Amino acid sequence: MHIDQIYIQYLKDNDSKGIQLIYNKYARQIVTLIQKNSGTEDDGYDILQESLVDIYHMARERNFELTTSFGSFLALVCKRKWLNVLKKNQKIQVTKASDDLFHIEDHSQHEWEEMLSQVDKENKVMGLLDTLGKSCQEIIKRCLAEKHQEQIAESMGISYAYLRKKKSECMASLIQKVKQSGIF
Amino acid sequence: MENRAEKIQDYIDGLLLGEELIQFEKQIAEDEDLKVEVSLQQELQGIIRSRLNSNEKILRTHMQNARILSQSTKGSSKKVYKLYLPIAAVACLLVFFSLFLLRNSDSGLYDLPTMQSEIVRGQEENVSYEHAVKAFNNKEYEQARTMLDILITADSTIVQYQYYAALTYFGEENWAQSIQELTPLAEGKSIFADEAKYYLAVAYHKTEQKDKAIALLNEIPAQGKVGQKASKLLKELK
């Protein structure tokens, strides 16, 4: 196990001191990297934050072990994320050259790439869930986070049967959005 | 009759039993599309459940704090409020997204919603409610209200009965009564609050109380169908 695995553990444990340490040690490096590639300081901090959240999700439920330094890995994740932002905003032409700019040689990269793609997919699903109406969001979230659906219905002031109807209706709307988005 | 989405949901929730379960599993094995749909729904629910059980919110709070400290340590001249710029950007995107959807939406601004039936597997049919559904959707509002009033008397905690009962006045274009019945629902915290706000706003609009209508429409979040309708109506009123 790489000695820097501790940083992954800080994220997994939601350790505030550890997270501060990550910022103290790596924030400037990432912000500079983004600034050198058409971004601002705020872009840099935003990318750092979203990348750390992705690493957290990546590590939380998967057997993720660092094979390189945390700094290199974090830079890879941030570059990948920033490249996607640039592509989305069409600030750069999507060319092989630009992809090469962000290429890092590492034998574990393919494995990471798969994990990060899965996290991207999950982020998009959560983003689409947020585009549903408030009541649909509440029904889906509560039904998936809580065990007793009869109690959910009662607390929402609706019948259990109505809750089940609405839940399947809301899930159908979400699935439709997911299909339209081409995530899966 | 139960639709495909409901059956899939019941299957995932473990509500299909005995012969029905065997039959549905056989159907899944034979129908590739159904198999894909079930698996997609299971995957989506797994993703959402996992995210809801994560501590992402706390992590984000820790990171915000670390960012503030990190930026102030570096002597950055940027003010802390800049942290909220991304949030504002997301809000703008949502508004843009909702406006884009509105252009493609055909739903009438003044139409009532379809009253949702409650018939689901394993539940005894609520006869009065189903009569109310039929009457409401046939625009027989007085009849629907009579049934709903019986249900409200039997159980006053079910907000869904009160909501549809209030809408029966809307259907009759009895705006004064609509306002009276919808106001407490719009001010409440139930899942019908935003819908109630919307129809209350329409009732205000119909009674020439434009300012009240606009104020209510502004309170409705942009997401979802009601958010889209609210934005569209707001645009019309302005």
Side-chain angles (χ1 to χ4, degrees), chain A residues 73-88:
Chain A
F73 177 64
L74 180 62
L76 169 80
V77 179
C78 289
K79 283 171 181 176
R80 184 182 177 280
K81 203 168 252 307
W82 183 236
L83 183 62
N84 285 336
V85 172
L86 292 176
K87 280 178 181 173
K88 209 171 167 182

Side-chain angles (χ1 to χ4, degrees), chain A residues 51-69:
Chain A
S51 300
L52 289 172
V53 171
D54 281 0
I55 296 172
Y56 164 75
H57 285 302
M58 201 171 149
R60 200 168 56 87
E61 283 194 344
R62 298 165 184 89
N63 185 22
F64 173 68
E65 282 192 15
L66 271 181
T67 51
T68 183
S69 72

